[in-house]
Amino acid sequence: QVRLVESGGGLVQTGGSLRLSCVVSGRTFRSYAMAWFRQAPGKERDFVTAITWSGDRTYYADSVKGRFTISRDNAKNTVYLQMNSLKPEDTAVYYCASGGRIAIATMTKDDFNSWGQGTQVTVSS
């Protein structure tokens, strides 16, 4: 059974930084693309960033380009999200997800088949 567990969320002031981690168990981590999505209260779950299985390509939503960085350590079955220059509009529950080739091509949440439980990120103004 695949399990994804996020950590690292919290409360931070505008301009601050946080690093989220997502540990994956129960599947061959290095075979899957990984992504982060986020969901603010009353809104849809939106794509934030994704990384290919090898880590050679990354993708970002326009709203986070230049501020967020996704990376992965296949030896540790872990994907990271470094978030810098945080803004109040970044406040959301952040979810990690894994998926195959279709998922990394579409970067659509419906194409990612495994999800974590989410971690809350709150940015105060």
Side-chain angles (χ1 to χ4, degrees):
Q1 183 177 354
V2 178
R3 188 172 182 222
L4 288 72
V5 180
E6 302 99 333
S7 62
L11 173 64
V12 64
Q13 291 185 334
T14 296
S17 298
L18 282 174
R19 188 195 196 203
L20 306 183
S21 300
C22 174
V23 178
V24 181
S25 60
R27 78 177 353 168
T28 307
F29 176 75
R30 63 181 180 272
S31 298
Y32 291 87
M34 297 297 299
W36 290 92
F37 287 76
R38 66 186 181 185
Q39 188 167 18
K43 295 190 176 181
E44 294 287 320
R45 189 171 299 188
D46 291 331
F47 171 79
V48 177
T49 180
I51 188 168
T52 54
W53 67 272
S54 64
D56 63 336
R57 282 175 289 165
T58 56
Y59 308 88
Y60 296 93
D62 288 342
S63 58
V64 306
K65 279 181 183 176
R67 300 189 298 122
F68 289 12
T69 303
I70 189 171
S71 62
R72 66 189 294 162
D73 185 338
N74 286 347
K76 295 182 178 180
N77 286 7
T78 302
V79 62
Y80 303 98
L81 180 61
Q82 178 66 45
M83 305 185 294
N84 298 329
S85 302
L86 283 161
K87 306 174 181 180
E89 51 264 43
D90 295 318
T91 295
V93 177
Y94 283 71
Y95 298 89
C96 70
S98 67
R101 279 181 286 181
I102 293 176
I104 197 66
T106 66
M107 287 176 277
T108 301
K109 61 181 183 292
D110 291 342
D111 291 326
F112 285 85
N113 50 27
S114 296
W115 292 82
Q117 82 289 348
T119 186
Q120 176 70 46
V121 171
T122 303
V123 185
S124 64
S125 57

